[in-house]
Amino acid sequence: MISLDQVHILEKKVESAVTKIIELKNENAALKNRINLLEKDNAELGSKVSVFEKEQNRVEEGILSVLNRLDEVEDTVSTSVLTTNNSSEINDDTAKTEVAEMDIRIPEENAAAENTDTVSEDSDTDNAADGSFSPKPGENGQFDIF
C-alpha cells in the first residue's frame, strides 16, 4: 500500500510541476510578445532599408550625371584649347591674353558686398585695387571647383 509520506512527496512533486508549468507558460507568453516586437522592428528596418536603397540609387544617378557633365565641360575646354593652339592666326601674345581673360570675375554687385563683409590685409587690398592677383604663400594660384 501507499504510505502517507509517499502521498505527501507526490503532492509536493505535483505542486512543483504545476508551479513550473505556470512559470513556463508566463515565459512563453513573454517570449511571444518579444517575437512580435522584434518582427515589427524587423519590418520597420526593412522599409527603411528599401528607402535608403532608393535614395542611394538617386544619389548615384546624380553623381553620374554630374560626372558626365564634367566630362562634357572638360571635352569642350580641351577642344577649345586644341583649336586655339593649332590655329596659325593666333600668336603667343594673343593666346596669353585669352587665357588671362578666362579668370573668374566677381559681379560688381557681389564685389561691393564682399568688400564690406571681409577685412583683407593691405597687400590683398592693393592687389584688388590694381586688378592683379598673387597667391598667398602655400597657394598655387588655382581655384578649387569643389
Side-chain angles (χ1 to χ4, degrees):
M1 257 243 126
I2 302 178
S3 72
L4 189 60
D5 289 334
Q6 291 174 335
V7 171
H8 286 299
I9 292 173
L10 181 62
E11 192 175 287
K12 287 181 181 179
K13 287 183 179 182
V14 169
E15 286 179 14
S16 173
V18 168
T19 305
K20 187 69 172 177
I21 290 171
I22 291 173
E23 287 175 4
L24 291 173
K25 283 184 178 181
N26 289 337
E27 184 180 348
N28 189 21
L31 290 172
K32 285 182 180 180
N33 286 335
R34 185 163 182 216
I35 287 172
N36 288 334
L37 290 174
L38 291 174
E39 286 176 346
K40 288 178 184 177
D41 288 345
N42 190 23
E44 287 178 24
L45 292 174
S47 65
K48 286 182 180 180
V49 164
S50 66
V51 168
F52 287 138
E53 286 175 347
K54 288 176 185 176
E55 288 179 359
Q56 180 181 359
N57 288 337
R58 283 190 278 171
V59 167
E60 287 176 3
E61 289 172 4
I63 289 172
L64 290 175
S65 173
V66 168
L67 288 174
N68 288 335
R69 179 70 178 127
L70 184 59
D71 285 342
E72 291 173 7
V73 169
E74 275 184 346
D75 291 344
T76 303
V77 169
S78 296
T79 305
S80 164
V81 169
L82 288 175
T83 304
T84 303
N85 288 342
N86 291 336
S87 174
S88 61
E89 299 174 5
I90 300 175
N91 62 24
D92 288 338
D93 293 335
T94 307
K96 289 178 185 176
T97 304
E98 287 179 2
V99 170
E101 291 175 357
M102 290 175 59
D103 72 26
I104 298 175
R105 303 284 183 207
I106 300 173
E108 290 182 24
E109 62 189 25
N110 290 343
E114 277 191 20
N115 286 339
T116 59
D117 290 343
T118 31
V119 177
S120 304
E121 295 179 6
D122 291 337
S123 62
D124 290 343
T125 307
D126 294 340
N127 287 343
D130 68 359
S132 66
F133 172 77
S134 62
K136 294 179 182 176
E139 292 182 353
N140 61 3
Q142 295 181 350
F143 292 112
D144 187 6
I145 62 171
F146 294 102

